[in-house]
């Protein structure tokens, strides 16, 4: 399933004349970066950013061109400070919608402290579209962008489309199709399960004959052969809290471009990150040929391990206490294992006797180092037992659930998201019993979930834009509105302080912190336009992510407060 999101980072600044009256800058706030405790052997850069019109939280991009590592900080009160930078050559630029400034080149040595000031000039804000979800990246200006009501004219057909189709396909799918009636009719059958090896997408009994007729008419009228291909314009003005953002820093380690990849597919595609016991970060790379890779965040050094099957399509991964890396393959249905010391790869194919089909998704380890994993196609939960080497598969209760994200609670119950049926499942390994909880907003899709230290389960309503909270003790489910329209919470993962981190591509890419006590959402827009399918958080509270649909493939990390940073290494 593909989704597209559009984003206008700001309206064209037409009223610059008025803005001049506000003056260039204010220096009341400080950038708040670390004054001491810098990581040894690194450098820092600070300075001012001024403009003739007021602005908030401009992004200062410091690209180390020797190592191909980006450091990004925000301005606060017109000042910025970037710390813990690798020595080397840098290209420094400032990005803010509605403004432009020339990039500067500097060279930093270990221990150096540089000052670099910028002056922004006004420039029409570019209309940006978010990358086509997870696959190729859509460049700005390719499509005509329209509002939701223009893309989806009011009427009975729209209501059927919203409750039957849109929650799975997202808001950019249908306006991107120009099918004749017979084709739409065929796809409705296909979604109802006809000749579909994945089974029914639209659950049986949820589309009446009258609704089907209304839907077909609506599809042909609005997305027929003579319609224009369009995309959603989501006017966005992300709330920016400068005082908080002034302390934050993003770092993105760009994967080397592989000249061996075929011309149309040079861009690599990271999916999920995880830490090993030595502070390295591992990732799955789904570009073909597939690999499992590692970056040492202290040096920016990469190492790739080619997978035995170039198109096995590794998805989630995890690392055990010995540093062995496990992943789930979605093609061929095997669990993979890499011993980085020897480079040897073992694959554990699943026994599919009596099963219709299986595609693995995300693995997670329990305290005995057994590997639990979701099976997205085939509606199963699996366990690879370390002691016996045997794998057991259980069918989840709901047909068409598409088990996706997975997490264990303190009692080692296995929690998983039922992606296509808007539920959260719990499996008790002692009783082998499943319990299901429905999201409040239905229908919806849920990709991932996390469990905090008190046992509360948090999930993202990907299609509904809600943050969900389940209290397993009472069974009570609560949902919070994520403040921006068209939010797409993908992963939802707590840090050690039980602050909930959300990855959201709905506004073009942001990590969002939710404080359950104050119920406040704080946005940290990402350096690139992207989604971030999975978060992993270090014990120091650094949030790692894989910018999957970005134009540059990377392993990325957000340090919410650089004053608390002690290392660039990543430890669980
Ligand atoms: C539960 C999620 C879900 C729902 C609900 C759903 N779809 Fe789909 N749809 C999918 C998935 C997944 C695929 C890709 C399946 C495949 O290729 O086997 C798909 C494929 C399609 C395709 C073909 C893809 C293409 O590129 O043209 C069309 C058209 C389509 N759906 C239309 C619809 C319509 C119309 C509805 C409502 C009647 C609907 N879908 C409801 C998940 C869903």
């Amino acid at each position: 399933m593909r989704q597209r999101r559009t984003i206008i980072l700001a309206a064209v600044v037409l009223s610059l004349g008025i803005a001049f009256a506000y003056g260039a800058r204010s220096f009341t706030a400080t950038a708040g970066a670390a004054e001491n405790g810098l990581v040894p052997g690194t450098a820092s850069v600070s300075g001012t950013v001024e403009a003739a019109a007021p602005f908030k939280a401009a992004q200062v991009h410091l690209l180390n061109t020797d190592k191909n590592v980006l450091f990004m900080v925000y301005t606060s009160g017109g000042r910025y400070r970037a710390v813990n930078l690798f020595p080397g050559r840098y290209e420094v630029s400032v990005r803010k919608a509605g403004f432009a400034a020339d990039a500067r080149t500097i060279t930093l040595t270990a221990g150096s402290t540089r000052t670099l000031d910028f002056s922004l000039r006004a420039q029409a804000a570019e209309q940006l579209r978010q990358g086509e979800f997870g696959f190729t990246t859509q460049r700005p200006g390719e499509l005509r962008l329209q509002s939701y009501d223009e893309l989806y004219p009011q009427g009975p057909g729209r209501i059927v489309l919203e409750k039957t189709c849109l929650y799975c396909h997202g808001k950019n799918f249908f306006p991107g199709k120009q099918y004749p009636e017979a084709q739409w009719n065929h796809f409705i059958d296909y979604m109802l399960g006809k000749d579909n090896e994945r089974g029914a997408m639209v659950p049986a009994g949820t589309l009446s004959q009258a609704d089907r007729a209304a839907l077909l008419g609506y599809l042909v009228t609005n997305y027929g052969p003579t319609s224009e291909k369009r995309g959603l314009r989501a006017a966005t003005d992300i709330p920016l809290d400068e005082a908080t953002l002034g302390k934050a820093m993003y770092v993105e380690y760009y994967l080397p471009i592989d000249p061996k990849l075929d011309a149309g597919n040079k861009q690599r595609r990271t999916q999920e990150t995880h830490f090993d016991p030595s502070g390295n970060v591992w990732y799955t790379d789904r570009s073909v040929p597939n690999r499992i890779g590692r970056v040492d965040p202290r040096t920016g050094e990469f190492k790739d391990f080619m997978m035995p099957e170039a198109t096995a399509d590794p998805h989630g991964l995890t690392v055990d206490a010995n540093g062995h890396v496990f992943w789930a393959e979605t093609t061929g249905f095997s669990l993979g294992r890499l011993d980085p010391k020897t480079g040897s790869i073992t694959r554990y194919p699943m026994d599919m006797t009596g099963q219709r089909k299986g595609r693995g998704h995300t693995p997670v380890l329990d305290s005995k180092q057994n590997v639990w994993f979701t099976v997205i196609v085939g509606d199963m939960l699996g366990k690879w037992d370390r002691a016996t080497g045997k794998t057991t598969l259980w069918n989840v209760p709901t047909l068409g659930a598409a088990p996706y994200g997975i997490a264990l609670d303190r009692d080692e119950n296995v929690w998983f998201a039922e992606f296509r049926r808007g539920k959260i499942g719990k499996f008790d390994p002692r009783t082998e019993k499943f319990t299901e909880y429905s999201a409040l907003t239905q229908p919806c899709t849920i990709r991932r979930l996390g469990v905090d230290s008190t046992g509360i389960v948090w999930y993202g309503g990907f299609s509904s834009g809600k943050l969900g909270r389940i209290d397993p003790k009472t069974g009570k489910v609560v949902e919070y509105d994520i403040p921006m329209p068209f939010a797409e919470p993908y992963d939802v993962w707590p840090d050690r302080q039980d602050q909930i981190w959300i990855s959201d591509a709905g506004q073009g890419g942001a990590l969002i912190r939710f404080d359950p006590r104050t119920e406040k959402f704080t946005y940290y827009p990402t350096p690139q336009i992207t989604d971030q399918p999975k978060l992993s958080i270090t014990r120091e509270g650094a949030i790692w992510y894989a910018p999957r649909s970005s134009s540059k493939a990377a392993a990325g990390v957000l340090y919410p407060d650089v004053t608390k940073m002690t290392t660039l290494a990543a430890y669980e």
Side-chain angles (χ1 to χ4, degrees), residues 164-165 167-169 177 179 187 190-191 198 201 420:
T164 320
C165 317
Y167 73 96
C168 266
H169 282 286
K177 307 281 167 200
Y179 292 147
F187 278 125
Y190 184 58
M191 291 294 102
R198 298 183 193 217
M201 293 295 149
R420 296 211 178 97

Side-chain angles (χ1 to χ4, degrees), residues 35-63:
E35 296 302 329
N36 45 34
L38 298 184
V39 172
T42 62
S44 69
V45 177
S46 60
T48 59
V49 176
E50 52 175 52
F55 65 88
K56 254 178 147 187
Q59 296 187 351
V60 182
H61 288 234
L62 302 104
L63 177 67

